[in-house]
Amino acid sequence: MKVLLLKDPKDKDSGSDPYIKELGAYGFEASLIPVLSFEFISLEGLFEKLSYPESYGGLVFTSPRALEAVKLCLRENSKNEAWSKSLKQRWNTKPAYVVGKATASLVEEIGLIPQGEKSGNAEKLAEYICSREKLNSSALLFPCGALKREVLPTILKEKGIALESLTVYQTTQHSDLQESLSSYFSQQGIPASIVFFSPSGVRFCLQHIQKLSGNFINNIKFAAIGPTTAEAMEAAGIPVSCTAESPTPQDLAAGI
């Protein structure tokens, strides 16, 4: 059974993508097509804020891209040195809240200790933060994307917890997306299942998939990596056959 994953490869340097591996263990023939490209912005501004841990109550990360922005900041020798010598230790006296395992492992890579990784989505993470933060404490620094949802900021605001957002990346369609989809459908045929990994993926791919599938679109089972993506699919009129219980290869494979 063929499964098409609409996502970036997990780690370009570490062999097989864990989603392809896990689905393979179930006997599925999974393929992967990258959907999104990211442009990083405001990196100087981000490092400026990271240079003053005392001004903030902690950090919030809801996407691996936000961590990539931090890592890009730290590529410069002088900034990396400042981070290693004192900034990392000073930030480690404060919480670094994360939404899932992928983000948590990237937080660990920059030397911080993640909290809240079992949340799985922004709403649950917001509830977790609210249960731990005191009212009127220093703002949490939230590096995020231009397309961030307002769920987390809204819940924190309602509970009186200050959040300072900084847009550090913009999301665009991958330049090869249309060509990759056409090539997949002409060579592999109609997949049994297609998995969306983000609302942006739904927006960028759906029209192409409808065109390439024609009347066979009703034969495809559509899956979502999480509730936010499932909502975007339903809003676009796609029937969601399954949503992974948490955004991991194991839960997605079990769901499919």
Side-chain angles (χ1 to χ4, degrees):
M1 183 176 124
K2 289 180 178 170
V3 179
L4 177 58
L5 307 172
L6 298 170
K7 69 181 284 293
D8 284 347
K10 205 68 176 171
D11 287 305
K12 292 170 183 69
D13 308 322
S14 65
S16 179
D17 182 273
Y19 285 88
I20 288 183
K21 234 179 197 167
E22 190 66 28
L23 286 162
Y26 278 78
F28 298 125
E29 191 186 327
S31 303
L32 185 151
I33 291 178
V35 173
L36 309 174
S37 287
F38 301 95
E39 181 194 349
F40 293 95
I41 56 174
S42 310
L43 295 183
E44 282 300 324
L46 173 59
F47 191 74
E48 178 71 17
K49 291 178 187 300
L50 289 173
S51 300
Y52 295 98
E54 291 72 22
S55 302
Y56 298 97
L59 291 158
V60 180
F61 296 106
T62 57
S63 91
R65 304 296 159 203
L67 268 307
E68 280 181 39
V70 174
K71 287 172 109 174
L72 283 172
C73 284
L74 302 180
R75 269 191 186 167
E76 260 181 61
N77 284 344
S78 59
K79 289 173 179 166
N80 200 316
E81 202 175 321
W83 180 259
S84 302
K85 275 189 173 170
S86 79
L87 292 177
K88 181 170 65 178
Q89 289 89 324
R90 281 149 64 196
W91 276 112
N92 260 330
T93 63
K94 301 161 187 295
Y97 295 112
V98 299
V99 84
K101 285 183 182 174
T103 312
S105 64
L106 288 169
V107 163
E108 287 168 350
E109 278 178 30
I110 60 165
L112 301 181
I113 300 155
Q115 294 183 25
E117 67 184 81
K118 289 185 178 155
S119 309
N121 63 48
E123 194 172 356
K124 285 183 183 160
L125 179 63
E127 288 165 9
Y128 177 83
I129 293 170
C130 290
S131 72
R132 299 173 71 86
E133 289 294 316
K134 295 185 178 75
L135 290 178
N136 305 319
S137 51
S138 301
L140 300 168
L141 179 59
F142 179 34
C144 56
L147 298 176
K148 77 171 189 306
R149 290 171 76 234
E150 291 304 319
V151 173
L152 185 135
T154 303
I155 293 172
L156 295 189
K157 191 178 178 184
E158 283 169 0
K159 300 285 186 183
I161 292 163
L163 186 73
E164 187 179 314
S165 303
L166 177 68
T167 302
V168 293
Y169 67 92
Q170 293 169 336
T171 308
T172 55
Q173 179 177 312
H174 195 286
S175 54
D176 299 332
L177 176 62
Q178 202 169 340
E179 196 184 318
S180 300
L181 283 169
S182 299
S183 162
Y184 176 89
F185 275 79
S186 64
Q187 289 170 22
Q188 308 271 351
I190 311 280
S193 186
I194 294 179
V195 186
F196 286 100
F197 281 75
S198 69
S200 304
V202 177
R203 196 168 74 250
F204 294 144
C205 297
L206 184 56
Q207 208 179 339
H208 303 311
I209 288 168
Q210 286 168 329
K211 197 173 160 190
L212 292 162
S213 307
N215 297 332
F216 294 101
I217 195 154
N218 296 330
N219 299 347
I220 301 170
K221 293 267 197 291
F222 290 98
I225 193 60
T228 309
T229 303
E231 279 169 31
M233 290 162 69
E234 282 161 1
I238 307 175
V240 182
S241 294
C242 82
T243 304
E245 271 191 37
S246 66
T248 65
Q250 294 74 20
D251 283 336
L252 178 68
I256 291 175

